[in-house]
Amino acid sequence: MGAAIGILGKFGLPGVQAMSTDKIFEKYFDKVKTFEEFHEAFLECLNYINNAMPGFHYTLPPYKEIKKEYDSKWNSVVEKERQERQESLIKLLNRYMSQTADNSTIMMAGIIAPPAAVILKRAGQNIPQVNKLRLHLVPDWLFVPVCTIIAITGAKGFQSKPKNTT
């Protein structure tokens, strides 16, 4: 019962090694008596996990799926079944976990942009088309961060997918 490292990490949920399922269950599910309370606790738990774990997102399962979970594992009050309840809930969460856009592109843009900005600024003095922009008037301490922010924003923009409106 006292999973110090946390069972969530054991079941392959990255980034939650320090989060203890016992603490989560104590915080959200200990006082659950009715389905309405379970549903509210489940929504609060998903919100907490989504905010705590960058890179991964848990989508809300259908209402029928949550109701089925409550009826099959949570309706009884036997304390021995707590471990089984936790494992069942983790399996439900795993089914509805999705990874957000890969951050490697953003990281690469952040690594490559500063040297590229310096090269552009230095080489731009010899290229007539770029020299018209007068980049040599902009100080390096301003030019490099601005170029880096633009590169990271562009990489993030290319990764974001349009949301379905249907």
Side-chain angles (χ1 to χ4, degrees):
M1 275 231 253
I5 295 177
I7 297 173
L8 289 176
K10 176 182 167 189
F11 283 99
L13 299 177
V16 292
Q17 306 295 341
M19 238 189 283
S20 170
T21 54
D22 287 342
K23 290 180 184 177
I24 290 174
F25 279 75
E26 286 172 10
K27 183 175 181 179
Y28 295 105
F29 297 105
D30 261 359
K31 298 176 183 174
V32 170
K33 301 283 188 236
T34 65
F35 173 69
E36 289 77 22
E37 291 174 354
F38 176 79
H39 191 247
E40 184 177 332
F42 187 78
L43 294 176
E44 288 177 12
C45 180
L46 272 183
N47 189 32
Y48 172 75
I49 292 173
N50 282 338
N51 289 334
M53 292 178 34
F56 289 88
H57 182 72
Y58 291 91
T59 57
L60 184 64
Y63 182 82
K64 291 178 183 179
E65 191 83 20
I66 298 171
K67 178 74 171 155
K68 185 175 111 180
E69 180 72 23
Y70 175 79
D71 290 339
S72 67
K73 300 289 180 195
W74 293 81
N75 210 2
S76 64
V77 290
V78 179
E79 182 62 29
K80 289 181 187 176
E81 297 175 357
R82 181 180 175 135
Q83 185 74 18
E84 187 178 327
R85 289 178 183 178
Q86 290 177 355
E87 290 174 6
S88 172
L89 188 62
I90 289 169
K91 288 177 186 174
L92 177 68
L93 287 173
N94 277 335
R95 279 184 272 168
Y96 291 96
M97 179 179 75
S98 61
Q99 187 172 5
T100 56
D102 188 17
N103 290 334
S104 65
T105 306
I106 296 170
M107 187 182 303
M108 290 303 292
I111 292 171
I112 294 172
V118 172
I119 292 170
L120 172 70
K121 188 171 177 188
R122 298 295 179 253
Q125 295 173 359
N126 299 329
I127 302 171
Q129 291 83 1
V130 180
N131 196 17
K132 290 179 185 177
L133 297 175
R134 306 276 187 221
L135 294 179
H136 66 280
L137 298 176
V138 181
D140 285 346
W141 60 267
L142 178 63
F143 185 72
V144 173
V146 168
C147 288
T148 304
I149 290 171
I150 291 170
I152 291 172
T153 304
K156 185 83 171 163
F158 283 121
Q159 282 186 347
S160 63
K161 297 173 185 168
K163 295 182 180 179
N164 291 337
T165 57
T166 57

